[in-house]
Amino acid sequence: MSDCIFCKIAAGGIPAKIAYEDDLVLAFHDIDPKAPTHILIIPKEHIVSAADINAENSAAAAKCLEAAAKLAAELGLADGFRLVSNCGDSAGQSVKHLHFHLLAGRDFMWPPG
Ligand code: DGP
């Protein structure tokens, strides 16, 4: 989508600190980190949110989870990490392109605020 900031990052039009990339997925460091490790994992294809995952695009969504596991192993997040996808306005989704926050390096509250 031409006005989507994450599509622009995926296309290389906006710079980002890339953590992982394959044909379907891009992972890059969040511009406003909420933990010592805060990486965003996105499908390169524009999917609005987790509510829009379907039989046609679920392979890209699954690849995001695979990338999260790969990154967690590579980054040595043996103490644990949190994987979050905010879906919709009331959940705090500010960018309407599916993304998973990979957060680590501090303790996390449960339930989240
Ligand atoms: P959410 O609020 O769940 O939609 O998360 C969106 C995240 O995207 C937020 O943590 C900040 C991050 N973000 C927004 N714009 C940019 C950008 O241009 N570059 C990077 N690296 N991160 C961004």
Side-chain angles (χ1 to χ4, degrees):
M1 259 179 65
S2 58
D3 62 343
C4 171
I5 193 150
F6 285 180
C7 283
K8 287 179 185 162
I9 289 174
I14 293 179
K17 190 177 167 199
I18 307 298
Y20 174 81
E21 181 167 16
D22 64 30
D23 52 337
L24 294 177
V25 169
L26 185 70
F28 52 94
H29 292 263
D30 196 290
I31 204 167
D32 181 21
K34 304 295 189 296
T37 297
H38 188 171
I39 293 171
L40 300 172
I41 306 168
I42 68 166
K44 289 183 173 177
E45 165 188 1
H46 187 80
I47 301 170
V48 174
S49 77
D52 298 278
I53 297 171
N54 57 41
E56 277 71 49
N57 62 27
S58 59
K63 275 280 187 179
C64 289
L65 303 183
E66 207 178 312
K70 207 172 284 188
L71 278 164
E74 275 174 22
L75 297 171
L77 306 181
D79 280 351
F81 59 89
R82 181 161 287 181
L83 195 60
V84 180
S85 188
N86 297 321
C87 179
D89 291 333
S90 68
Q93 184 183 8
S94 60
V95 178
K96 301 299 191 286
H97 180 130
L98 176 65
H99 52 283
F100 297 90
H101 297 258
L102 174 63
L103 299 142
R106 66 171 172 82
D107 292 332
F108 297 99
M109 306 292 288
W110 190 262

